[in-house]
Amino acid sequence: MAHVTTLRRFNRYFTRRIGALDEHYLGRDRPLNEARLLYEIGSGASLRELRTRLGLDAGYLSRMVRALEGQGLVRVTVHPTDSRLRLVAPTPAGRDELAEQNRRADALAEGLLRGLSGSQRDRLTEAVAVTERLLRLASITVRPAGPASPDARACLTAYAAELDERFPEGYAVTDLVPPERIAVLLVAYEEERPVGCGALCAPDTDTAEIKHLWVHLDARGLGLGRRLLTELEHTAAGRGHRTVRLDTHTALKEAAALYRTGGYTEIPAYGDNPHAGHWFEKSLPTGPPVSRPAGGTACRGDGTQRSPGGRPGIGGTEGHGTEGPEGTGRSGAGRAPR
Amino acid sequence: MAHVTTLRRFNRYFTRRIGALDEHYLGRDRPLNEARLLYEIGSGASLRELRTRLGLDAGYLSRMVRALEGQGLVRVTVHPTDSRLRLVAPTPAGRDELAEQNRRADALAEGLLRGLSGSQRDRLTEAVAVTERLLRLASITVRPAGPASPDARACLTAYAAELDERFPEGYAVTDLVPPERIAVLLVAYEEERPVGCGALCAPDTDTAEIKHLWVHLDARGLGLGRRLLTELEHTAAGRGHRTVRLDTHTALKEAAALYRTGGYTEIPAYGDNPHAGHWFEKSLPTGPPVSRPAGGTACRGDGTQRSPGGRPGIGGTEGHGTEGPEGTGRSGAGRAPR
DNA sequence: CACTCCCTCTGACTAAAGTCAAAGAGTATG
DNA sequence: CATACTCTTTGACTTTAGTCAGAGGGAGTG
């Protein structure tokens, strides 16, 4: 409860004070939503994209874009291949306006920081980064999806593409486990956008095998890998398996570290995965069955089932920060932070 | 710049995501501003207070209060002594509504926390608390005020009242240094509300004396004491003094600790303060004069002069958290967090 | 090539938020 | 006790925000 109180007080303080200030500065001489829209357009976007990202009504959006166009800030063009779509891009004047927006927002942040000493700034930045990471992690939901669903495919092809880059021998989409051999596929959603996955295969009744554990680059450093791993283990336990095993490539150092700190022990080679270099195993607790809405969750993918809400995380050793979403150093304009 | 970027990204993330969620939950079946207003009324407030606190137009506020009254959620009464003023207080139904609001907001926060492990929750709470403390400190401005101005008097009488409680021998308002003997009085404002002060006397050209360093209970644990102390030292240096000295009561342990870690050394007794038990001194740096808008800043108090923006804090040892604004355990309703 | 989706635009609204000015009732003060 | 000032109320707006339904042009598919 102390957690809730602290979080709520912070929420109140922040949105009413800092957030309000920010909106005030952003808006200035233009309706807030229009300013926001310009910001989200960034260096260019399609109406469709903006509509879903901002959750705006199509009609409302259309009119606002028209207004920005009337002010000479954006230009609207027809999509080259699909002429139903409209593309919006800022004009030079629009870019200036965006730059001005950024300057104002930067000035606001700088003004705030000016009241702090160097070490206080460092501490603030650190605390803010930790808060953001944990809140993002907390707001990510993990739920089963059909192994052949678009969301699952999106994750798995991104996974394959990444492995193809990282493995000296390459990795083809055909190296993936075929959908029909996947017993359960968990997908992690951040604001309904798939940002990670993990599959469970069931070679026999006793053992489950974890495959294709992957986290989107944008969501790395949050502790999501561990959360997916833990939820997969819970799912396996719920299905009656006693052991989970998995293999990993020698190039994936972080993965091996994740498994080791997650209670896995290295075992001799099994199976015929040509990419594997390490093999791990963990026996699942078989005590009183954990009450959770698990069970036959495989392959629903209809989106009606929400996250089982299990407790992820084993201890305090999440080890963030190795490759968090920081680091790009971009200051905002061109990037949609959602 | 990395600080600015991180802070801005966080700001964006938080207001658009968590803040929006919160508003969504708070609003539900009632206009958002009406819900907010009910919240701000808490256990009772005057219209005037609400107007300044929420920055609302008088007419708009009047109508909203009327709407809440129409729904049976609040009762409006005339102020007992000044019948221009109106007092608003929730009816039992209003209290229920508030409790429901709180329940929803708690549920939201709990839902967020549910996705985190115990240690992650602890880390989030800690990070959030640090963020709030530092942002509050950053948004506090310190500026000179007339020693006889209402703001100054408010601080000094609160200071005297507190000492009266803490000193075994008591402390009377008449024990305060009279306004005309104060050379400079700095007042700290949090959102234009005075939350701390510190006075500088000038017994001779060489030495300045710091008196009446005080921080409001609500603003304790932020590091404001140190900031005031540092700004007083800068002011003294700017006025040409070479040494500052001060005394403190033996009952004020935190004060003595603040001075020790702030570079003060204990010296033999001086002066005739019957409440003093420790005496401290610090010599001021006399190198190249620090460029800052200091100088003859004493006794302006007209509010036109903004914080000199000096760097407070000496090192990384701010030592917050001894008696921060946590601890009350109240969950919100009755308390205006501004 | 008919049929069904998709995406966008337009018209027609409603609700909420915010602004301005004038007036009425009260207080404080010289 | 006249005068200036405060606080609130009322009327009369304007602007933003948000919703809904229908029309029109295009894409994709059997």
Side-chain angles (χ1 to χ4, degrees), chain B residues 31 38 85 100 313 331:
Chain B
L38 185 60
L85 285 165
E100 173 60 24
S331 84

Side-chain angles (χ1 to χ4, degrees), chain A residues 21-30 35 97-111, chain B residues 4 8:
Chain A
L21 251 185
D22 192 47
E23 298 203 334
H24 180 250
Y25 274 70
L26 197 71
R28 263 305 186 234
D29 36 8
R30 181 181 323 286
E97 182 63 28
L98 264 175
E100 173 59 24
Q101 261 187 31
N102 271 319
R103 218 170 302 126
R104 277 190 201 143
D106 279 351
L108 176 67
E110 266 162 21
Chain B
V4 168
R8 279 197 56 199

Side-chain angles (χ1 to χ4, degrees), chain B residues 142-153:
Chain B
V142 173
R143 53 180 195 264
S149 67
D151 289 347
R153 286 294 109 185

